[in-house]
Amino acid sequence: MVISAASAVFVLPIFFASTACAQHRSSRTRPPLGLSPSSSHSSAPPCSAQPRPTQLDPTTPRPNSTAMPKVVSRSAVSSSTDARPTASSTAALRVYYCICGEFILVIDKSLTALPRRQTDDAIVIRCQDTQDAKARVFKLNATPKEAVLIERQGGHEKQYRFHCPRCALPVAYQCTPPPAKSGPFLYILKGALSQIQGQVPPDAFEDEKLIASTDVA
């Protein structure tokens, strides 16, 4: 084969480049001097020599990684054996309503256990302390109205009355000007209040029945 000088310029670099690549590949696969081809791979441990994961005994309880930490709270309780119960803490409050159902009175004792006035059978509530008796704990929800004169045996009595804020029926009175508890006593009119909301007390119309029976006679 005859190669011209112009072709040799291009063929010779390509020939030397391919020869260098072949030598580089052979050096990568050739084992080092003094070592056999089989000994080049003997340094790597076999796959069977890798440690196996330890197996847990089924009877051994496994730690619960999702369990929340236990929180223990401590609180101190303070008590005193020398403290005496107050009257407001031991009293059972009673609530009373008007005939229309409006709340009127809350008191620390049942109205049936309180004394009654001889003149009109009204329930007597003590408002001020004396040496012989303590005042009752109560709250009246009523509207004060103008005073009225009631005829009594031997004269007249001036009453400052309190009316229901809803239906305006008279529910209580006292002999001193308002506000409530300004005098020694407050009087609840007979049959004006009920302990059951919406229920008419049994003595609400006793006076009307007595008047009707007197007119018939």
Side-chain angles (χ1 to χ4, degrees), residues 58-215:
T59 59
T60 305
R62 298 183 179 180
N64 189 5
S65 59
T66 60
M68 299 298 293
K70 185 177 181 181
V71 179
V72 179
S73 61
R74 298 179 180 179
S75 59
V77 179
S78 176
S79 62
S80 176
T81 56
D82 299 332
R84 296 181 180 179
T86 60
S88 59
S89 63
T90 58
L93 298 179
R94 274 81 170 181
V95 181
Y96 291 88
Y97 306 90
C98 178
I99 297 176
C100 67
E102 181 70 15
F103 158 72
I104 298 296
L105 177 69
V106 56
I107 191 170
D108 62 344
K109 195 170 185 178
S110 176
L111 295 182
T112 57
L114 297 180
R116 289 182 176 266
R117 197 178 185 191
Q118 295 181 357
T119 54
D120 55 0
D121 206 21
I123 300 173
V124 182
I125 301 178
R126 183 177 293 276
C127 302
Q128 298 175 359
D129 293 337
T130 61
Q131 296 180 355
D132 301 331
K134 293 284 187 179
R136 300 251 65 94
V137 179
F138 70 95
K139 180 180 180 181
L140 182 69
N141 177 37
T143 305
K145 296 292 184 179
E146 296 181 357
V148 296
L149 287 176
I150 303 297
E151 185 177 358
R152 298 297 186 194
Q153 187 177 359
H156 294 81
E157 180 183 72
K158 194 174 186 179
Q159 296 181 357
Y160 296 88
R161 295 198 169 185
F162 296 89
H163 293 243
C164 173
R166 181 178 180 183
C167 65
L169 284 176
V171 293
Y173 68 89
Q174 62 185 17
C175 298
T176 55
K181 302 182 182 181
S182 61
F185 301 102
L186 178 75
Y187 304 97
I188 303 296
L189 292 173
K190 179 182 178 181
L193 302 182
S194 174
Q195 199 168 2
I196 302 176
Q197 189 176 18
Q199 180 176 341
V200 179
D203 56 347
F205 302 103
E206 286 186 359
D207 295 339
E208 284 76 3
K209 292 179 181 178
L210 180 62
I211 294 173
S213 62
T214 304
D215 293 341

Side-chain angles (χ1 to χ4, degrees), residues 22-31:
Q23 291 178 357
H24 179 69
R25 286 196 297 269
S26 61
S27 63
R28 293 179 60 184
T29 57
R30 185 182 303 167

